[in-house]
Amino acid sequence: MMNDLRAVPTSYLVGFIVVLFFPAHLINLGLAPFIGDEAIRALVALEMDLSGNFIATTMHGKPYINKPPLFNWILLLFFKLFGYFGEYPARTATVFFLLVYAAVIYHFVKRELGAGFAFLSAMMVVTSGRFLLYDSMLGLIDTAFSVVIYSLFLCIYFLGRNGKWLALFLWTYLLMTAGFLLKGFPALVFQALSLTGGLIYWGQWRRLFSVQHLAGLLLAGSMLGGYLLAYSQYRPLTVLLPNLVNESVQHTAVAKSWWTVVEHLFSFPFESVYHFLPFSLLILAWADRYFWQRLRENRFIWFNFVMLAVNLPVYWGSVDVYPRYLLMFIPLFTVVSFYRMVQHRLANGWPYRLFYYLLGTLAILLPLAFLVLPFVPDVNFIANIYPLAIGCGIFLALAATGYFADKERCLYWMIILLLIARIGFDLIILPARHHDNELTRSKRDVYALVEKYGDRTWYVYGKSDFREPASFYS
């Protein structure tokens, strides 16, 4: 069997990974009720549809001024395509952008480092723990925003490499505008830092004062000005703009105590590695006295590191940072670290050996974990738990065998193993987790109230606290 696994053509492994991506990310996608931020995005899109106002958005009928409207437009499009407002359409938008993200990473990295390296880099990003077990299951802005910002980074490299300065400014400001309409002022920060860092990288910092830069500014100014002008026909900008600024700075060191900031500066690298396991273990490749020298040998790798270095400190210094805010940095980190890890593999260096055995430990533990699920009280009430758990365990064991038998292509097998584990997670863990938890009970209770009192006017009693999911389901 080991010989048969080693004989599988790489193209078959690639095809199998692509095929597995879809059931892994679509099975039971709509099972869990909305969390708070998801419900906000969906509720704003719903009220946009009801009111016919696509510019000055509302929530509960009152002005919603925390985010610009682009993501709500996208959600509304998916709701219309599916024919209803609900969890599955909203989260399908995220899966769509995750697939786009993988394609964008592959497209850019392939041009410099080849198809195999690019494919593995893209798949290591989308199967990192944070995507695989959390963010790909939620209808939130961050995956779409990360596609835009990562594209902005790489446009600076490829257009700068070819000396297409006017195109560089126009494309990056166009992407910045899209980012602003998704998430507000963070897009401007990314543009300012990335453009400055990129032009210094190319030795072209004087172009910050060029006519080409002015053309980019005029393009962004005209588009954002058009949006703000349209918005001002409904409400004053003196309320919108300060609130968008506040949304951007409320998690930063400006609003926190100095001790909280110091604590975060220390814990941030460790938390980031944890959230993006297992491929964040590529950080082992950095433990090398020749690391900086090797990075500068390849200009594309060095550029990826420069973009990481000029942008990441903004979040490193921000205390209340959710891991999903870092998604645009993951391909930069992955490409830099994977490039160096490949060099360690060729030299059979200790970072690669440790990386291989740590992933191998995961390859052994995952099949075992699924095989014991029928004996775990929290999940063994699931229908067909025995065939589901044993079937997933067998396929995981097969992928794990491929990992150890086919050492040259172990990362392909690890990605297959993770996607199979995600399918098992969808079929077993998600139904168990949401069988009778707080969100599920809340959704069920709201539906019962709607069925009983749906023809009545509803009021909020005094200063009662209620969450956006309950509002959406009512």
Side-chain angles (χ1 to χ4, degrees), residues 222-235:
S222 63
M223 297 178 71
L224 292 178
Y227 161 66
L228 294 174
L229 178 62
Y231 187 94
S232 69
Q233 306 306 305
Y234 299 94
R235 300 175 197 147

Side-chain angles (χ1 to χ4, degrees), residues 249-456:
V249 303
Q250 64 179 333
H251 301 299
T252 65
V254 175
K256 303 296 177 181
S257 69
W258 69 271
W259 176 247
T260 304
V261 174
V262 171
E263 185 179 17
H264 174 74
L265 290 174
F266 175 77
S267 63
F268 177 81
F270 300 99
E271 291 177 359
S272 299
V273 169
Y274 164 75
H275 283 292
F276 294 98
L277 289 170
F279 297 115
S280 57
L281 291 172
L282 287 167
I283 192 70
L284 292 168
W286 295 43
D288 175 16
R289 60 177 176 166
Y290 299 110
F291 179 73
W292 305 107
Q293 177 184 338
R294 295 290 184 264
L295 287 191
R296 302 195 68 143
E297 290 174 353
N298 184 295
R299 63 179 182 177
F300 180 67
I301 297 299
W302 182 238
F303 178 84
N304 276 261
F305 181 82
V306 167
M307 288 296 101
L308 195 61
V310 300
N311 286 285
L312 187 59
V314 174
Y315 288 92
W316 198 333
S318 300
V319 178
D320 291 333
V321 173
Y322 295 109
R324 64 176 182 262
Y325 295 171
L326 308 176
L327 297 178
M328 70 289 295
F329 300 129
I330 304 309
L332 301 176
F333 167 82
T334 300
V335 166
V336 169
S337 305
F338 184 35
Y339 175 82
R340 188 68 190 105
M341 190 61 79
V342 169
Q343 294 177 326
H344 283 299
R345 181 180 68 81
L346 295 174
N348 196 31
W350 72 262
Y352 172 73
R353 295 198 305 272
L354 181 56
F355 175 71
Y356 175 79
Y357 288 120
L358 287 173
L359 289 187
T361 302
L362 177 64
I364 293 170
L365 291 177
L366 277 174
L368 295 176
F370 273 86
L371 290 174
V372 302
L373 283 179
F375 307 101
V376 178
D378 289 340
V379 299
N380 64 9
F381 64 89
I382 298 295
N384 302 314
I385 182 64
Y386 280 94
L388 287 175
I390 294 172
C392 287
I394 290 172
F395 282 112
L396 286 168
L398 184 62
T401 304
Y403 179 87
F404 290 106
D406 192 6
K407 192 173 181 179
E408 290 296 312
R409 299 181 300 176
C410 62
L411 288 177
Y412 289 92
W413 291 104
M414 176 54 60
I415 292 166
I416 289 171
L417 189 143
L418 291 172
L419 290 172
I420 294 171
R422 167 62 189 268
I423 291 173
F425 184 91
D426 295 340
L427 292 171
I428 300 171
I429 307 300
L430 281 181
R433 176 185 293 176
H434 298 285
H435 170 67
D436 195 34
N437 66 0
E438 183 179 352
L439 284 173
T440 301
R441 290 194 299 271
S442 174
K443 178 180 177 180
R444 186 172 60 236
D445 291 345
V446 171
Y447 278 179
L449 289 169
V450 170
E451 183 177 356
K452 190 172 183 180
Y453 302 111
D455 58 343
R456 305 280 191 89

Side-chain angles (χ1 to χ4, degrees), residues 209-247:
F209 310 100
S210 66
V211 175
Q212 295 102 320
H213 191 186
L214 179 61
L217 288 168
L218 290 174
L219 174 65
S222 63
M223 297 178 71
L224 292 178
Y227 161 66
L228 294 174
L229 178 62
Y231 187 94
S232 69
Q233 306 306 305
Y234 299 94
R235 300 175 197 147
L237 296 178
T238 52
V239 176
L240 174 69
L241 293 176
N243 196 74
L244 290 177
V245 172
N246 180 64
E247 279 287 299

